[in-house]
Amino acid sequence: MPQPLSAKDGAAFRQVVKLYELKQHKKALKTAEQILKKNPNHGDTLAMKALTLNAQGHTDEAFSLAKLALQQDMKSHICWHVYGLLYRSTKQLDEAIKAYKFALRLEPESAQIQRDLAFLQIQMRDYNGYIESRKAILHARPALRQNWTALAVACHLAGDLSAAEHYLKTYEDTLKQPPPRTDMEHSEASLYRNVLIGEMGEVERALAHLKTISRNNLDRTAVMEMRADYLLRLDRKDEAEEAYRALIVRNNEYRLYYEKLEKVLGLDRENPDDHAELAALYTSFLEGNHRLDAARRIPLDFLRGDEFKTAADKYLRRSLAKGVPSLFPNVKALYSDDFKRTTIQSLVEGYTSETQADGEDMPQHTNGDASSKFVQSRLYFLAQHYNYFRSRNLKKATDFISQALEMDPKSPDYHMTKARILKHLGDVEQAAEVMSFARELDTKDRYINTKCAKYQLRNNDCESALKTMSLFTRNESVGGALGDLHDMQCMWYITEDGEANLRMDKLSLALKRFKCIYDIFDVWQEDQFDFHYFSIRKGQIRAYVDMMRWEDQLRSHPFFTRAALPAIKIYVMLHDNPDLSHGHLANGSIKLEGLDAAERKRALKKAKREQERLEKAEAEKREAEKKQTKKTGTGGDGEPKKEDPDPHGFQLLQTPAPLDEAVKFLTPLLEFAPKNITAQNAGFEVFIRRNKPLLAVKCLRAAKSLDPEDPVVHEQLIRFRRSLDSTSASPIPDKVAQVLKSVSQDLLPDSTSLTAFNDAFMAKHASSAPHVRSGLRARGYLDASSKERNEEELLATLDLVDLSLEDTQAGLELLGEWKSSKAVQDEYLAKAKALWPEATSFKRR
Amino acid sequence: MDIRVMKPSDIPHVQQANITNLPENYFCKYYLYHALTWPQLSYVAVDVSRPPKTPYDPPKIVGYVLAKMEEEPSDGIPHGHITSLSVMRTHRRLGLAEKLMRQSQRAMAETYGAKYVSLHVRVSNTAALHLYRDTLGFNMDKIEAKYYADGEDANCMRMELSHLRFEAEEERKGIKDQDEGDEVGSAGKKDDDKKGKKRRVKVGRVLGVGDLVERNESSAKAG
C-alpha cells in the first residue's frame, strides 16, 4: 500500500508525476524535494525522484534511490514500476520484467503496468508471457478491436495460427454491419486474417475468404498478389494467368510476376523446346512499352546458342545507343556462363564500325552526337568488361578506358572506372587520386564523394577520407563528421575505417569501429520496441509481423558479419599476445621481437608512457573543444549526447578478458549465420583457446560439412588432432575425452597419419594458393624442421597461373608469421613486385 | 532491375543507398516508421541478377523511394509526400526513379485516398527537376527559402493524383463480392475525409515515436 500523504502533499505528488511526463525534470525534482522535506521516507516520492534523476542521466544515483524507495515501501506498485522502468532504460529487460510482475501483483488492475509488461515480454520474445498479458488486456477492454488483433498477433508469432484466426474472427462476428471501406484497421485486419488462413495451408478457404473482402480492401496490390498466388497453388490456370497478367500490367518490372506466369503457362526455361514460346511471350509485352527493361532482359537468362546471340546483339545495341551507363552491371550476371560471356565480348568488340543503333523502336539518329555516344558507350562497356573478375584483362581495360577518356576527358564515370581498374592493379594510391579527381568533376554528387572516401580508406588514408565525407555530413554534431556518420548509422564507412586501421595495425581504433557496428545492431534491435505499441494502434499488422521476423534474424546481416569477424580476430590476437593491448605497441611503431627480457620491459614501459601521453593530450583537446562550443550538442536521436570517453578505443583494447569479448561477437554469428564458413573457422579459434574442445569441434564439423576442402578447415583439423594427441597440457574429463575421440575419429580417422593426410591435401590442391598455404602451415606444425622447404614452396606459389593480388599479399604475410629471414622475404617481395608492378602494398614495403 | 514494395528487411541497404547518394540522411528507425505506418507506399529497385555470395546476402538495392502520407495536412486534404528518392549513379538512365514513383503514387491514391503528392527538391538539382516536372508531370508549387541545412532553397512541387483515384474506383466497381460496405460516390467521399481524421492516431509521446516524427522532420530538413 502506498504510504499516506497529506492532501496538499498528495496533490504535489501528482504534480511530480505530471511534470515528469512533460519532461520538466528540474521542476519535478524541486517539487519532489518539497514533499520529501516533510515526508523523508515516502517511497513513491523517492521513486519518482529516482525516475527523474535517471531521465537526467544520473543512472547510478537513480538506482540506489529506487532501492531505497523499495526499502521504505515494499508494497508500493509505484516503487516496483519505477524499478522496472529503470531496468528498462538500462536495457536489462529480464530484470525489468521481474519488477513489473511485482508491481502488477500489487496492482492487478493497472492497465499501464500490464501494458508495459506486455511490451517487454514481446521484445524478449516471451511468447507465452505475452499471450497471457494480452489476454489480461483484452479481458479488461474487450470492446477495443486492437486488443483482439494484438492477441491474434501474439498467437501467430507463437506459432498458433488457428488460435490467431479464431480471435480475429471472434471480433469480426460481433460487427453488426461491415465497417465503411475507408476503415483502414478493418481493411488490414481482414487481410491479415486471410494471410493466416493462407499460412495454414487452407488455400481453398483462403481464396474464398479473399473474395469476400477484396472489393473493399484498401491494399489492392496485396489482394491481387495473394489471389494470384492462391489460384496458382490451386492449379486454376486460366484465372491464375489472368491474375498474373493483370499484375504485370500494374508493374511490369517485377520478375516474380513473370516467373509465376511462366509457371501457370507450363513453360520451363530449362527446356529448350519451350524457348520459342517463352521468347514470344516476352516479345508480346514489349509492344508500346519503350521503357520496359524486364521483358527485354529476361530472355537473355534462358536463351542459348544463336538465339542468345541474336537477342543479346539487339539488347546490347539498343542500350549502347541510348548510352545506358548501367548496361554492364545489368548483363554481367550472364558471365557465369562461358558461352554467354565470350559471345557478349565478341559482339561488343565487333561493333567497331557501328556508329549508331539499328535496334527496334529506336529513333534513327543521323547526327554526330548519337554516333559518338554509341562509340563511347562501347568503350566504356569494354573497359568494365575487362575489369570484371570473370573476364579480367586489366591491360585491355586500361586501354579502353583511356580511349573513352580521350573522347570525354571530363566524364566522372570514366574516371571512376579508371580508378576501379587501378584498384584491381593494386595501385590503391593512384586509384584514390583518380577517384578524387572524378569527385571534383561533380562535387554536388554524393555518390562520387562516397566512392572517393571509400578509395581513400582502401589506401589507408583515413584522414583524407573523413575530410571527403565531411563535405556532406552535418559537422556541427558532437564528434564532428565522424559523430554524424555514427548517428546516421553509416555502416559501410565505419566498417571500412575499421578495416583500414586493422591493416595499419592500429588495433584500438579498428576495434573501436567494429564495436560501433555491434552497438548499432543493438540500437536496431531496440528500435522495434516502440512498434509493439505503435503498429497495433495503427493497425498495420502484416508489416509489423514482417518486421518482427526480420528483427528475429537481424544479426545474420552481412553488415554484422563483416565487422564481427575482424573484431574476433583482434581479440584472438590480444589473447595470444597481451602486449598488443598497449595501443602504441600495436600500431607497429615499436617491435618487441628479438629483444631480451630487460629491453622488452623498457620498451613496454615506453609504450605505456607514450599511450598515457596520447590519452592525456586527447582529453585536453576534448576539454578545449568543449569550452569552445559550450552548448552540448545533440545526437541524431535528439537526446543530449554524451562525450565518448574512449574515442581511440584504448580502453577497449585493454580488456582483461579478450576471449570473453570475442564470444560476444561470435555467439550471434554462430546462431544467425551458421552457414558462413568463416564464422565457423573463427568459432574454432576462439573455443580452442578457451579450452572448450567440444564447442571447437562443433565448429570444425559444421565448417567441414559446408566445404570439406576448405583450406582453413584442413589446417584446423590437423591442429585439433594434434591437441588431442598431446592432452598433457590441459587434462580434460574422461567423458569429454571420449566424446572428442569419437568425433575426431569421424572427422579424421586415428589410423590416418597426419603427415600423409597433409601431403595428400597439398598434392590435390597444388594449383590453389590458399590451399598450398594451409598445407605449408600445417607442415610447419607437424615438422619444425620443414621451414626452409616451406618457404621455398611458398615462393613457388608466385608462379601459379592467375594468382590473385590477395593471395600474393597473403603469402608475404605468412613469411612474416614464420619470422622468415630478410633475404627470403626480399626474394618473395621482388617476385611479387614483378607480378604486380603497380601494387601499392608492395611498393611501400 | 526489379521494382517492388519495400520490406523491413530491405532497410539496411535502403539506408546505405540513401547515405551513399544524398546529403539528407535518417537513422534506421525513421525508415521503420515509414515501412510500418504506410507499408504500401515505399518501393525499392533491386538488382536481382547478382548471385548472392552467402545464404545471408540481402537483395542488392540500387534505388528506392521512401514515401508517406502527410499526417496533419495544413490544407486538410489527404495527400502523400515523398520523403526521399534516389537511384545509384551506376544504375541511372534506366527510368528506375520514374518507375518507383509511379508505383508509390498509385498506392497513395488507392490505399490512402491521396488527392495529390508533394515533394521538395533542391533548386540546383536540375536532373531531379526534369524528372518530376517533365517526365512525371509535377507542378511547381512554391519556393521554400533556405529549406536545406546548407542554406539552399527548395522547390516545393506537387502532382494531382485524381486520375489514379478514378482508375482505382473504376477497377473496384468491376469487382463483385459479398462484403458490401458503404456507398461509393459523394457520400462515401465525405466519409472518407471524416474517417481520415478519425484514423489519425496521436502518436505516443511517452513511447518515443512522437519524438521520432518531430526529430526526423527536423533532421530531414537539416540534413
Side-chain angles (χ1 to χ4, degrees):
Chain A
M1 281 300 287
Q3 298 151 310
L5 285 176
S6 69
K8 191 174 155 239
D9 286 338
F13 180 76
R14 284 188 293 280
Q15 186 66 16
V16 174
V17 176
K18 204 169 155 195
L19 287 167
Y20 170 78
E21 280 171 0
L22 293 170
K23 291 193 174 171
Q24 301 191 3
H25 299 140
K26 275 190 190 156
K27 279 190 192 165
L29 276 185
K30 213 168 145 192
T31 315
E33 291 297 349
Q34 281 164 6
I35 304 171
L36 289 171
K37 227 178 253 171
K38 274 181 268 171
N39 319 273
N41 298 328
H42 190 247
D44 289 355
T45 308
L46 287 168
M48 279 312 297
K49 187 181 166 189
L51 195 58
T52 314
L53 285 170
N54 188 53
Q56 291 181 320
H58 309 295
T59 307
D60 292 343
E61 203 182 330
F63 264 99
S64 48
L65 200 60
K67 273 180 204 153
L68 186 67
L70 271 174
Q71 279 166 16
Q72 300 299 338
D73 197 351
M74 278 287 278
K75 297 225 158 135
S76 155
H77 69 273
I78 294 179
C79 292
W80 281 107
H81 193 181
V82 165
Y83 205 46
L85 286 167
L86 291 184
Y87 274 123
R88 157 83 187 87
S89 78
T90 54
K91 311 211 160 62
Q92 293 161 278
L93 303 192
D94 281 329
E95 294 299 321
I97 286 180
K98 281 186 213 157
Y100 284 155
K101 281 186 173 165
F102 269 112
L104 200 57
R105 211 172 293 161
L106 295 164
E107 186 74 3
E109 303 300 313
S110 166
Q112 179 70 43
I113 299 173
Q114 182 72 67
R115 275 199 351 216
D116 283 354
L117 173 64
F119 299 142
L120 281 180
Q121 285 167 324
I122 190 57
Q123 180 76 3
M124 295 294 284
R125 301 299 192 267
D126 170 9
Y127 296 119
N128 291 333
Y130 186 55
I131 290 175
E132 286 317 304
S133 293
R134 273 295 165 192
K135 280 184 176 162
I137 294 169
L138 175 63
H139 191 74
R141 291 194 68 187
L144 213 54
R145 180 174 203 161
Q146 51 177 273
N147 288 341
W148 292 87
T149 311
L151 178 56
V153 173
C155 295
H156 182 199
L157 292 174
D160 188 351
L161 278 72
S162 64
E165 198 212 340
H166 165 77
Y167 289 119
L168 292 177
K169 182 175 180 297
T170 308
Y171 178 82
E172 275 178 24
D173 291 347
T174 66
L175 291 171
K176 302 234 163 39
Q177 57 182 20
R181 76 178 185 93
T182 46
D183 185 335
M184 176 58 87
E185 188 183 18
H186 176 68
S187 171
E188 182 61 23
S190 42
L191 207 50
Y192 177 53
R193 185 177 160 203
N194 191 264
V195 169
L196 290 173
I197 302 171
E199 275 187 21
M200 284 188 277
E202 299 179 37
V203 185
E204 196 85 53
R205 184 160 76 89
L207 182 64
H209 174 257
L210 189 64
K211 196 164 179 246
T212 67
I213 61 168
S214 59
R215 185 171 180 199
N216 281 343
N217 203 278
L218 294 166
D219 192 343
R220 285 232 58 74
T221 307
V223 167
M224 289 174 75
E225 285 180 347
M226 286 157 74
R227 180 167 172 270
D229 179 53
Y230 297 148
L231 289 168
L232 176 59
R233 280 157 74 184
L234 291 169
D235 208 25
R236 285 161 66 166
K237 290 208 169 81
D238 292 348
E239 291 162 279
E241 179 184 345
E242 200 185 327
Y244 277 111
R245 284 187 183 276
L247 282 165
I248 292 174
V249 168
R250 283 167 71 89
N251 178 1
N252 57 14
E253 295 283 3
Y254 191 11
R255 277 161 178 73
L256 184 83
Y257 297 161
Y258 291 104
E259 282 159 19
K260 299 278 180 169
L261 181 62
E262 287 178 18
K263 213 172 152 194
V264 174
L265 297 171
L267 296 171
D268 180 4
R269 293 184 185 187
E270 298 304 314
N271 180 3
D273 294 344
D274 286 353
H275 285 180
E277 211 175 319
L278 278 167
L281 175 69
Y282 282 101
T283 310
S284 72
F285 287 112
L286 293 179
E287 206 170 318
N289 277 318
H290 291 284
R291 298 175 70 83
L292 174 59
D293 182 62
R296 289 189 167 83
R297 173 63 184 77
I298 292 171
L300 301 186
D301 286 337
F302 59 79
L303 292 176
R304 294 173 210 167
D306 282 345
E307 284 167 332
F308 171 80
K309 193 174 172 183
T310 312
D313 184 40
K314 210 168 173 185
Y315 187 81
L316 292 165
R317 282 172 192 267
R318 182 174 189 274
S319 302
L320 289 171
K322 280 173 75 180
V324 176
S326 54
L327 175 60
F328 182 73
N330 206 1
V331 298
K332 70 181 182 197
L334 300 167
Y335 282 28
S336 53
D337 181 323
D338 286 344
F339 170 76
K340 292 186 179 180
R341 189 187 67 237
T342 48
T343 303
I344 291 174
Q345 178 173 314
S346 60
L347 278 172
V348 182
E349 285 266 24
Y351 296 152
T352 43
S353 57
E354 330 280 324
T355 49
Q356 64 185 53
D358 47 5
E360 24 93 60
D361 68 30
M362 277 303 299
Q364 294 288 312
H365 296 286
T366 43
N367 56 36
D369 267 8
S371 61
S372 88
K373 191 161 102 196
F374 188 95
V375 175
Q376 281 186 41
S377 297
R378 173 181 168 269
L379 294 171
Y380 182 48
F381 181 93
L382 287 170
Q384 294 173 84
H385 168 87
Y386 285 116
N387 191 28
Y388 184 55
F389 78 98
R390 287 190 196 276
S391 43
R392 188 163 293 172
N393 180 335
L394 295 176
K395 194 180 165 310
K396 282 193 178 177
T398 310
D399 285 349
F400 281 115
I401 204 63
S402 307
Q403 288 180 51
L405 277 166
E406 264 168 44
M407 295 182 73
D408 185 358
K410 298 243 159 180
S411 160
D413 300 280
Y414 299 169
H415 279 101
M416 287 168 76
T417 299
K418 185 179 169 189
R420 197 134 192 252
I421 297 168
L422 285 164
K423 186 180 79 174
H424 290 146
L425 283 166
D427 192 346
V428 287
E429 192 173 347
Q430 252 228 291
E433 274 167 31
V434 173
M435 198 57 100
S436 189
F437 184 79
R439 182 188 67 75
E440 281 167 33
L441 292 171
D442 189 356
T443 51
K444 291 222 156 220
D445 183 58
R446 191 174 191 180
Y447 182 86
I448 303 190
N449 181 274
T450 301
K451 287 287 152 187
C452 177
K454 182 177 153 186
Y455 275 55
Q456 287 165 330
L457 288 173
R458 292 288 168 93
N459 188 32
N460 295 350
D461 186 358
C462 301
E463 212 175 303
S464 302
L466 189 60
K467 223 186 230 165
T468 303
M469 290 299 280
S470 75
L471 296 170
F472 279 92
T473 51
R474 295 173 63 193
N475 302 323
E476 66 276 15
S477 52
V478 172
L482 190 63
D484 188 46
L485 291 167
H486 276 78
D487 289 345
M488 291 303 128
Q489 304 166 343
C490 188
M491 310 298 267
W492 80 262
Y493 179 86
I494 298 166
T495 308
E496 290 264 1
D497 193 52
E499 289 168 352
N501 278 295
L502 181 54
R503 282 193 295 271
M504 294 185 284
D505 295 321
K506 292 184 178 172
L507 299 187
S508 60
L509 267 179
L511 209 48
K512 181 81 192 170
R513 301 290 178 258
F514 300 137
K515 179 67 170 40
C516 173
I517 298 290
Y518 181 95
D519 292 340
I520 290 174
F521 270 89
D522 280 354
V523 171
W524 286 359
Q525 187 175 354
E526 175 74 14
D527 279 347
Q528 66 181 302
F529 195 92
D530 291 349
F531 294 101
H532 302 318
Y533 168 79
F534 183 82
S535 288
I536 300 292
R537 277 209 73 164
K538 281 270 172 185
Q540 295 289 0
I541 306 306
R542 290 170 304 143
Y544 171 72
V545 171
D546 271 355
M547 177 206 69
M548 294 293 280
R549 288 179 174 160
W550 169 58
E551 289 278 2
D552 281 341
Q553 299 295 319
L554 185 63
R555 289 178 184 78
S556 70
H557 200 282
F559 285 171
F560 184 81
T561 313
R562 190 167 160 194
L565 287 170
I568 293 169
K569 184 178 155 189
I570 294 173
Y571 283 123
V572 166
M573 282 164 71
L574 283 173
H575 171 84
D576 292 351
N577 183 3
D579 289 343
L580 290 176
S581 67
H582 306 295
H584 209 61
L585 262 185
N587 74 12
S589 59
I590 299 177
K591 293 260 186 268
L592 287 180
E593 284 124 33
L595 302 181
D596 68 30
E599 286 170 330
R600 202 182 137 82
K601 214 171 156 190
R602 268 201 304 279
L604 273 177
K605 230 178 173 173
K606 193 177 159 209
K608 273 188 203 167
R609 263 206 316 274
E610 179 64 12
Q611 188 174 322
E612 277 161 17
R613 192 186 62 79
L614 272 178
E615 281 174 45
K616 208 176 146 206
E618 182 59 37
E620 278 165 9
K621 198 175 136 206
R622 269 209 310 278
E623 208 47 48
E625 273 171 13
K626 226 197 267 170
K627 268 182 200 148
Q628 219 177 11
T629 52
K630 284 223 167 123
K631 64 170 188 174
T632 39
T634 54
D637 53 2
E639 300 291 319
K641 214 175 111 177
K642 281 184 201 158
E643 284 277 343
D644 185 345
D646 183 27
H648 290 277
F650 292 136
Q651 286 161 30
L652 267 182
L653 198 64
Q654 281 162 19
T655 169
L659 291 183
D660 290 355
E661 298 301 319
V663 167
K664 287 184 194 163
F665 284 90
L666 180 63
T667 308
L669 271 191
L670 294 179
E671 185 178 352
F672 298 111
K675 290 197 173 135
N676 185 319
I677 196 163
T678 322
Q680 298 291 352
N681 296 157
F684 176 87
E685 297 296 342
V686 172
F687 291 132
I688 204 86
R689 284 170 175 79
R690 299 196 95 194
N691 252 327
K692 305 264 187 210
L694 282 177
L695 291 173
V697 82
K698 202 175 154 202
C699 290
L700 195 50
R701 269 173 74 165
K704 196 173 176 224
S705 73
L706 289 168
D707 179 6
E709 303 297 326
D710 179 67
V712 181
V713 169
H714 171 75
E715 191 193 322
Q716 289 181 340
L717 205 52
I718 288 182
R719 277 165 55 203
F720 180 67
R721 253 288 288 281
R722 271 178 44 94
S723 76
L724 277 192
D725 295 347
S726 60
T727 41
S728 57
S730 56
I732 38 177
D734 278 353
K735 252 196 182 150
V736 177
Q738 263 174 13
V739 177
L740 281 176
K741 262 257 168 326
S742 80
V743 175
S744 145
Q745 190 71 15
D746 285 350
L747 286 169
L748 186 61
D750 271 349
S751 54
T752 320
S753 135
L754 288 181
T755 310
F757 175 70
N758 192 43
D759 289 347
F761 180 84
M762 290 188 70
K764 189 172 173 189
H765 298 288
S767 61
S768 157
H771 291 86
V772 174
R773 285 199 305 275
S774 153
L776 293 177
R777 258 204 193 99
R779 197 199 277 154
Y781 305 135
L782 294 172
D783 176 7
S785 71
S786 65
K787 189 176 171 192
E788 227 167 280
R789 211 176 120 210
N790 296 339
E791 289 172 347
E792 263 168 46
E793 287 182 35
L794 184 62
L795 259 118
T797 60
L798 292 172
D799 299 326
L800 290 171
V801 188
D802 288 337
L803 185 72
S804 73
L805 178 60
E806 291 70 30
D807 278 325
T808 316
Q809 283 163 340
L812 192 57
E813 275 158 36
L814 185 53
L815 286 179
E817 197 182 302
W818 286 340
K819 300 191 173 53
S820 296
S821 69
K822 190 167 179 303
V824 173
Q825 297 208 28
D826 284 348
E827 190 185 345
Y828 187 100
L829 196 56
K831 272 182 98 174
K833 275 182 182 166
L835 276 177
W836 299 96
E838 291 90 355
T840 316
S841 60
F842 300 130
K843 275 189 217 159
R844 283 179 184 160
R845 293 292 282 252
Chain B
M1 257 37 72
D2 269 5
I3 304 284
R4 61 160 173 80
V5 82
M6 181 179 86
K7 296 180 282 195
S9 56
D10 295 322
I11 288 175
H13 276 96
V14 170
Q15 189 182 30
Q16 174 138 307
N18 163 269
I19 203 162
T20 297
N21 296 330
L22 296 176
E24 291 80 28
N25 312 121
Y26 323 95
F27 38 77
C28 175
K29 198 170 174 183
Y30 194 51
Y31 293 92
L32 272 176
Y33 167 66
H34 280 74
L36 270 67
T37 313
W38 310 278
Q40 303 83 0
L41 300 189
S42 294
Y43 272 76
V44 287
V46 182
D47 186 348
V48 278
S49 63
R50 246 167 100 112
K53 283 184 200 142
T54 75
Y56 310 104
D57 281 8
K60 177 161 169 60
I61 308 282
V62 298
Y64 67 87
V65 58
L66 188 69
K68 57 183 257 180
M69 290 298 292
E70 200 58 71
E71 291 194 273
E72 283 174 21
S74 49
D75 53 10
I77 301 170
H79 68 271
H81 184 77
I82 302 298
T83 302
S84 184
L85 165 75
S86 81
V87 172
M88 293 287 196
R89 191 182 174 106
T90 45
H91 288 75
R92 291 186 191 157
R93 309 278 318 265
L94 279 173
L96 295 178
E98 179 201 341
K99 288 165 185 170
L100 289 163
M101 283 289 281
R102 292 211 190 276
Q103 293 299 325
S104 177
Q105 287 173 348
R106 173 163 46 208
M108 285 173 184
E110 270 180 5
T111 305
Y112 298 96
K115 302 240 164 66
Y116 67 90
V117 52
S118 66
L119 56 82
H120 294 111
V121 56
R122 285 176 180 268
V123 286
S124 67
N125 192 347
T126 44
L129 211 65
H130 167 77
L131 167 77
Y132 296 134
R133 193 183 49 206
D134 305 334
T135 310
L136 290 163
F138 273 76
N139 295 311
M140 216 65 92
D141 184 19
K142 59 181 179 213
I143 285 187
E144 204 158 309
K146 300 212 162 73
Y147 177 81
Y148 294 99
D150 55 11
E152 187 168 341
D153 297 348
N155 273 321
C156 302
M157 305 185 79
R158 62 160 72 183
M159 179 179 166
E160 291 301 317
L161 298 179
S162 45
H163 62 293
L164 291 173
R165 282 165 59 90
F166 179 74
E167 268 175 32
E169 204 47 59
E170 286 300 298
E171 200 180 322
R172 204 180 77 86
K173 279 180 193 157
I175 303 171
K176 291 196 180 71
D177 69 18
Q178 292 115 43
D179 185 15
E180 289 294 330
D182 278 4
E183 284 296 314
V184 290
S186 60
K189 265 183 197 144
K190 218 191 238 163
D191 193 57
D192 194 359
D193 294 342
K194 212 166 56 203
K195 264 324 258 197
K197 262 173 207 146
K198 254 189 222 161
R199 202 184 328 125
R200 209 172 297 127
V201 176
K202 263 267 177 280
V203 282
R205 170 178 52 80
V206 194
L207 288 140
V209 182
D211 291 354
L212 177 81
V213 182
E214 293 159 19
R215 275 204 298 273
N216 282 281
E217 226 83 299
S218 61
S219 85
K221 278 180 198 164

